[in-house]
Amino acid sequence: MAESRQVNDLISIERQGDIALICIDNPPVNATGQQVREGLQKAVEQLNAEGGAKVIAIYAAGRTFVAGADIKEFGKPPQPPALPDVFNIIEDSEIPVTSVMHGTALGGGFELGLATHARIGIEGLRVGLPEINLGLLPGAGGTQRVPRLAGIPMALDMALSGRMVPAQEALEKGLIDRLEAGDPRDVAIAAAQDVLDGKLQTRRTCDLDTPKDDAALEETATMLRKKQPHMFSPHKIVEAVRASYLPRTEGMAIERQAFVDSMDTPQRAGMIHAFFGERAVSGIPEAKGDTRPLDRIGVIGGGTMGSGIATSCLLAGIPVTLVEVAQDGLDRGVATITKNIDGAVSRGKLAADKRDAVLGMLTPTLAMEELARVDLVIEAVFEKMDVKRDIFGKLDGICKQGAVLASNTSYLDINEIAACTSRPQDVLGLHFFSPAHVMRLLEIVQGEKTAADVLATGFALAKKLKKVGVLAQVCDGFIGNRILAHYSKAASYLVLDGASPQQVDDALEGFGFAMGPHKVGDLAGLDIGWMTRKRKADTRDPNERYAGDVADRICENGWFGRKTGKGYYVYEGGAPVPNPEVATIIDTVRTEKGITPREFTDQEIIDRYMTAMISEAARVVEDGTAKRPVDVDMVFLFGYGFPRFRGGPLHYADTIGAAELVERIKTYAKEDPHYWQVPPILEKMAQDGTKFADLN
Ligand code: COA
């Protein structure tokens, strides 16, 4: 006879003869918050105490099995029972326990499965240990049980990459025992019956020994010391996996300590800020509400940007009409898109058998009239207002009523562009970052007249393209490029005053940037900044200290960076080496300007560069270009290679504190009061003792 009871609000027990089912029901993702932990423990203890049940099967309600510990609890005082203790109680249960996992079994969710005596995956399941993405490591037996089941290399791979392992691979590696189709509850009942009938073997994972593999541990430890010296948790992961050689109690204690230590790091705080920030950017009213259709997209311009945008849409399954003015340009665009799609296949982002179908969704054309059938057009042509005005005037005549008209401009005035049409309410900025099919940031720029459903459509597009859409208001450079324009001067001043480009790059790479600013300049093309400086030459404030002398002279030599083989660095295959002629240029400029070079420590370089970035970021929040500090942070994480473990410039600012930042700016201002000015918002925060986080 079947009977059901609630252990607490989130955990229930259902008895069917010899079988006991435990159901976890904690939407949206069944995270193992305090009540889930307590309920699971009680359920298993009660069933063992009562007797009667001969097998227990755990499953979860809703769209997924358990997606991990409740991240919202991190950083707060821990509430008992602790997850590893609950899982040990499950593993020690006298009554055999099976688990049935569907959707994503991540972190604590997968660790729950590992602690049971047999694991069934439901087709489509993905398992993973993503804690590293939060600055942590598995803290409830993941580093102890995965190596016992699947060996040390697999444990290191999973815990260090955080990747989601598809069910088939999990099965092959012995992480799950079976892969089945069906409803989790039905599968749980069948699996439990199989245990009773002796058709499904059960065993305690920690009764197994980890197969020895010291070489894999050593090799990984050495690689991490070299590649990730400033990260905390990866090194701890190796230590914890090594501890799986020990009996469970000792190994788990080492894992626990490493987990607790990681929890205390600013890296953990930064990465959790990033996790919630990525979701918070679209959690605003502007991103919600009615949207317009997105069944076909038009892209104007087959250059790097246009092709990247088209690729991104095609990969998301949206048909694209690509428009160019001349056949050779169109051919180049199609070739670039084809290359991008092939790249997606070789990187495993697209199944090889889907390649032709994806390319089949591309309609290249020279006839702009073809845009009459698209729902949204993205203009991605040369950054000249005249050209854009002309195009938007034409689009006004061609596009169907209600079509969304977007410009990919990176700094031009969206309102001026919108004014060339009779439908400014349909116009907005969609600023992609190069390479557009790879970079996840999309700045969604709101014009004065942009309609609410057009803005929401911008966010819907970001979601479809798996991008992080961030709302920005109109200004020169929007959020990201405006801040970049400011702090990149700080790097130039450092070089003028005594640092070498390489020292600046090395210091900032040590801080965590993937590439220093001079290497980035070489990669993007130094001619871009050169053009911008020329464009702005007439409007430059005469009181401003000019930052472009060195870069201008490099460009005058025809050295635009990687694409010409030379820039700040020389590129001749292998690692870039500093361009010796740049050192000569720097010396000449210093002599002409009467600058006596001084020494900068790496820390001074980081402090000046970051303080400059934070100053402009603060102004961007103050004047409303960005809605909140978290929006600025996400722009930098997803568009500018800002180190994720530092959370973003304004999260990082909070770790320094407004008072200290104001102090620094005032000190620097003694050298250059024009460049170094305290943003009023920062001054006020210093007085009130508040933080940027308070504005989120
Ligand atoms: N703890 C608390 N909340 C969580 C969570 C967790 N472990 N995982 C997801 N959520 C929340 C999200 O913040 C989001 O909340 P919102 O709707 O209020 O914004 C909601 O659950 C849905 O998550 P979302 O990421 O938007 O859904 P998705 O379907 O795209 O992805 C996951 C689902 C599970 C793959 C994804 O959320 C994820 O990777 N979660 C983190 C897993 C993890 O790191 N676990 C280990 C923790 S140690």
Side-chain angles (χ1 to χ4, degrees), residues 441-635:
L441 178 63
L442 179 65
E443 280 182 325
I444 299 173
V445 188
Q446 177 175 21
E448 264 165 25
K449 300 200 172 143
T450 307
D453 60 346
V454 168
L455 212 52
T457 306
F459 280 94
L461 177 69
K463 191 163 185 205
K464 277 199 166 198
L465 303 184
K466 296 200 171 68
K467 296 207 184 288
V468 179
V470 179
L471 180 67
Q473 301 300 318
V474 174
C475 71
D476 192 331
F478 312 125
I479 298 176
N481 282 348
R482 171 170 149 196
I483 299 172
L484 169 74
H486 184 75
Y487 70 79
S488 57
K489 287 180 195 155
S492 305
Y493 296 149
L494 282 162
V495 168
L496 282 174
D497 291 338
S500 70
Q502 191 186 12
Q503 192 200 351
V504 172
D505 284 358
D506 289 349
L508 292 164
E509 284 163 24
F511 178 80
F513 282 98
M515 255 191 229
H518 300 97
K519 283 192 196 136
V520 172
D522 275 1
L523 183 67
L526 298 176
D527 49 326
I528 298 176
W530 195 30
M531 275 185 329
T532 309
R533 287 191 296 279
K534 286 197 258 190
R535 169 172 66 91
K536 291 189 176 170
D538 294 342
T539 52
R540 194 178 308 125
D541 184 337
N543 297 317
E544 180 185 318
R545 180 183 184 198
Y546 186 53
D549 303 274
V550 171
D552 287 351
R553 287 191 207 186
I554 295 174
C555 289
E556 281 157 20
N557 283 296
W559 303 331
F560 296 156
R562 265 184 208 227
K563 60 185 169 190
T564 59
K566 245 188 206 181
Y568 286 101
Y569 296 83
V570 180
Y571 301 87
E572 289 170 335
V577 284
N579 180 352
E581 289 162 283
V582 167
T584 316
I585 292 176
I586 294 170
D587 281 343
T588 313
V589 171
R590 284 181 189 152
T591 311
E592 283 170 14
K593 300 200 159 234
I595 298 168
T596 312
R598 49 170 283 215
E599 300 240 328
F600 289 97
T601 63
D602 287 356
Q603 192 58 49
E604 271 178 286
I605 291 173
I606 294 166
D607 288 350
R608 282 174 182 253
Y609 189 81
M610 288 310 303
T611 306
M613 187 186 297
I614 292 163
S615 300
E616 191 63 13
R619 287 183 201 108
V620 156
V621 171
E622 188 160 33
D623 69 18
T625 300
K627 213 173 155 81
R628 301 158 302 178
V630 67
D631 296 297
V632 175
D633 285 343
M634 295 310 114
V635 163

Side-chain angles (χ1 to χ4, degrees), residues 5 32 128 223 265 267 323 388 416 428 477 517 546 624:
R5 65 177 197 257
T32 57
M223 179 275 290
T265 60
Q267 296 185 354
V323 181
K388 310 242 177 202
E416 197 178 332
L428 84 170
Y546 186 53

Side-chain angles (χ1 to χ4, degrees), residues 28-29 31 63 67-72 74 104 106-108 130-131 134 136 164 275-276 279:
V29 295
R63 61 174 163 141
D70 189 341
I71 303 174
K72 295 195 180 84
F74 290 178
T104 41
L106 301 176
E131 291 86 347
L134 302 171
L136 292 168
M164 297 216 203
F275 178 86
F276 286 115
R279 289 155 179 82

Side-chain angles (χ1 to χ4, degrees), residues 36 87 103 107 125 160 190 194 206 225 227 336 379 521 551-552 565 594 602 606 639 641 657 671:
V36 169
F87 293 170
L125 169 74
L160 287 169
D194 280 354
C206 281
R225 276 194 293 270
K227 292 207 167 146
T336 311
E379 162 280 308
D552 287 351
D602 287 356
I606 294 166
E671 298 158 24

Side-chain angles (χ1 to χ4, degrees), residues 386-401:
D386 293 349
V387 184
K388 310 242 177 202
R389 292 171 65 100
D390 179 53
I391 288 178
F392 276 78
K394 285 187 183 138
L395 287 177
D396 196 18
I398 293 171
C399 290
K400 63 184 174 197
Q401 280 312 307

